[in-house]
Amino acid sequence: MSSGNDCQPQTLTKPAFDEREAAELVDKVFGLKISWIRSLPSYDDQNFHVRVSAEGADEYVLKITNSADSQEPDLIEVQTQAMMFLSAEGFPSATPYLTKDGNIMSLESGGTGLGSKKYMVRLLTYLPGTPVAKITTNAQILYEIGRLAASVDKVLSEKFQHPSVKSLRRGQFIWNLANVPLLDQYIYALGQNKYRAVVEQVIEQFEGKVIPKLSSFRACINHGDLNDHNILVDSCSTSLENPQYRVSGILDFSDMSYGYYVFEVAIAIMYMMIESPDPLSVGGHVLAGFESILPLTAEERGALFLLVSGRFAQSLVIAAHTALLYPENKEYLTITAKTGWKHLMTMFEVGQEAVEKKWFETAQAYTHHTPAP
């Protein structure tokens, strides 16, 4: 979602290729002729859905990484290899189409932006499905998303190996949940209002109650961005009254980093709350799915409320900061803000004890009744 290993969430690094330039890039780098191309929304990279005239899979996503992240080829290599690894393990993850030189990516210059910046270019298989943001979520898919979050991190942490895996230790990476305190550098983007006050409260409580506990959490590799636009689903039932879904795609590995298992479930809960008509009920279903694979410890459960709040703060503050840099992309950047502020304020108005009680009681009910796969 966001760029850089330092604490800068974003400078003017987003690629600016038009559709003609993107089509020429696919031909030049991958040797494929484009028959159809469409720009896709993105945070700070640039993505195009393309169809090509070739044997086998004919739909791909051309991913042009922002110029800041493009300076870290080891990191992009690890992220791409992780996608290939997960695909081999049976997860619905995209895989790269190799360049004409037989590589998984290529550093290219171009676009209509100022200067001669270079961007890492990949061509990834197109994954079918509907973003979770476009469906009405129910307990069944929320549980499945919780299971997915735990399963992805568990298999990455236990089985994934790569010579550059250390590049995932992204100390000051602004989207790592451990770095919520770094938001104070960007809080100016909110102006002076009630929203700023609640974010300051989140940061203060996070520093006092979460940071001292990090060493007691179980470490792992986090996907780091299992949001409602990065998880695709297919319907697997014909019932309109009680639809059943299965996960058909996992997108965007650019926020991968070393973190903790509890971070992933907190991130998933926060983003699943965004579209829900009953947001406070969401957490228990996601948590139940997660704990069917990886039960949390008492310390991890105790931090969950502030971790979810911390992710709301990250998303809302960084989006506000980035929208100042890219006003033309404000609508996409502030998708979360439309309901995010309301949900964060509600969490603090209801209070940690009551929210946790709702989450934990919902999750506990699953120990007596697990939804059908």
Side-chain angles (χ1 to χ4, degrees), residues 299-360:
E299 291 86 354
E300 291 164 343
R301 275 188 158 216
L304 199 53
F305 177 88
L306 284 175
L307 288 170
V308 173
S309 304
R311 185 52 165 212
F312 268 117
Q314 284 180 315
S315 180
L316 295 163
V317 171
I318 296 170
H321 169 79
T322 309
L324 294 178
L325 295 174
Y326 293 96
E328 73 281 1
N329 202 26
K330 183 175 181 179
E331 184 176 355
Y332 179 77
L333 293 169
T334 55
I335 286 173
T336 301
K338 290 172 183 173
T339 53
W341 284 117
K342 182 174 69 175
H343 294 347
L344 178 59
M345 302 292 279
T346 300
M347 284 180 67
F348 272 76
E349 287 163 7
V350 173
Q352 179 170 349
E353 185 178 347
V355 172
E356 286 180 342
K357 184 172 186 289
K358 191 174 186 69
W359 288 349
F360 298 158

Side-chain angles (χ1 to χ4, degrees), residues 221-345:
I221 295 173
N222 288 141
H223 173 282
D225 197 18
L226 290 175
N227 69 45
D228 48 331
H229 292 269
N230 286 342
I231 300 173
L232 304 177
V233 296
D234 277 338
S235 175
C236 57
S237 73
T238 55
S239 168
L240 296 176
E241 294 78 22
N242 185 29
Q244 302 283 297
Y245 298 98
R246 67 175 185 87
V247 175
S248 63
I250 310 166
L251 307 178
D252 195 355
F253 285 72
S254 62
D255 284 3
M256 270 183 73
S257 66
Y258 275 103
Y260 304 91
Y261 284 117
V262 68
F263 283 9
E264 201 74 85
V265 68
I267 291 167
I269 288 172
M270 175 260 159
Y271 285 114
M272 293 309 112
M273 288 176 67
I274 290 298
E275 306 291 342
S276 175
D278 185 14
L280 293 185
S281 72
V282 162
H285 301 293
V286 178
L287 178 61
F290 192 92
E291 291 199 311
S292 72
I293 304 293
L294 276 166
L296 297 183
T297 65
E299 291 86 354
E300 291 164 343
R301 275 188 158 216
L304 199 53
F305 177 88
L306 284 175
L307 288 170
V308 173
S309 304
R311 185 52 165 212
F312 268 117
Q314 284 180 315
S315 180
L316 295 163
V317 171
I318 296 170
H321 169 79
T322 309
L324 294 178
L325 295 174
Y326 293 96
E328 73 281 1
N329 202 26
K330 183 175 181 179
E331 184 176 355
Y332 179 77
L333 293 169
T334 55
I335 286 173
T336 301
K338 290 172 183 173
T339 53
W341 284 117
K342 182 174 69 175
H343 294 347
L344 178 59
M345 302 292 279

Side-chain angles (χ1 to χ4, degrees), residues 46-64:
Q46 202 176 10
N47 301 317
F48 294 89
H49 180 190
V50 302
R51 292 192 185 125
V52 302
S53 307
E55 293 182 14
D58 64 351
E59 291 190 68
Y60 297 93
V61 172
L62 175 68
K63 188 166 189 68
I64 307 171

Side-chain angles (χ1 to χ4, degrees), residues 83-240:
M83 293 160 62
M84 297 164 68
F85 165 80
L86 287 172
S87 178
E89 290 286 321
F91 290 85
S93 175
T95 54
Y97 186 93
L98 298 184
T99 68
K100 289 193 287 191
D101 297 329
N103 300 312
I104 63 175
M105 58 189 184
S106 179
L107 191 63
E108 301 291 331
S109 55
T112 55
L114 297 174
S116 56
K117 292 177 179 174
K118 291 188 177 293
Y119 305 97
M120 200 63 79
V121 174
R122 287 170 291 169
L123 194 63
L124 305 172
T125 49
Y126 180 80
L127 298 173
T130 303
V132 169
K134 300 283 180 69
I135 68 165
T136 302
T137 56
N138 57 25
Q140 177 264 334
I141 190 58
L142 293 172
Y143 183 91
E144 287 305 315
I145 288 166
R147 281 180 60 88
L148 175 76
S151 301
V152 166
D153 284 11
K154 189 170 190 287
V155 73
L156 283 173
S157 302
E158 293 178 354
K159 297 176 68 176
F160 177 62
Q161 295 180 324
H162 190 275
S164 298
V165 74
K166 63 182 182 297
S167 66
L168 295 176
R169 298 197 181 280
R170 306 169 69 178
Q172 298 288 291
F173 180 49
I174 193 66
W175 286 104
N176 189 302
L177 251 181
N179 291 329
V180 164
L182 296 180
L183 292 176
D184 61 7
Q185 299 173 58
Y186 308 103
I187 205 168
Y188 74 89
L190 301 179
Q192 294 288 348
N193 54 38
K194 62 182 179 181
Y195 297 145
R196 179 174 180 142
V198 77
V199 169
E200 288 172 341
Q201 190 179 348
V202 171
I203 293 172
E204 180 183 355
Q205 293 192 25
F206 201 96
E207 288 178 323
K209 298 178 181 178
V210 176
I211 298 298
K213 295 276 183 65
L214 288 178
S215 60
S216 71
F217 299 162
R218 290 165 298 166
C220 70
I221 295 173
N222 288 141
H223 173 282
D225 197 18
L226 290 175
N227 69 45
D228 48 331
H229 292 269
N230 286 342
I231 300 173
L232 304 177
V233 296
D234 277 338
S235 175
C236 57
S237 73
T238 55
S239 168
L240 296 176

Side-chain angles (χ1 to χ4, degrees), residues 23-58:
E24 290 173 353
L25 205 56
V26 173
D27 186 14
K28 173 190 169 190
V29 178
F30 302 97
L32 296 174
K33 300 293 184 187
I34 295 294
S35 60
W36 179 89
I37 185 167
R38 179 172 65 91
S39 178
L40 296 171
S42 62
Y43 203 94
D44 56 2
D45 297 329
Q46 202 176 10
N47 301 317
F48 294 89
H49 180 190
V50 302
R51 292 192 185 125
V52 302
S53 307
E55 293 182 14
D58 64 351

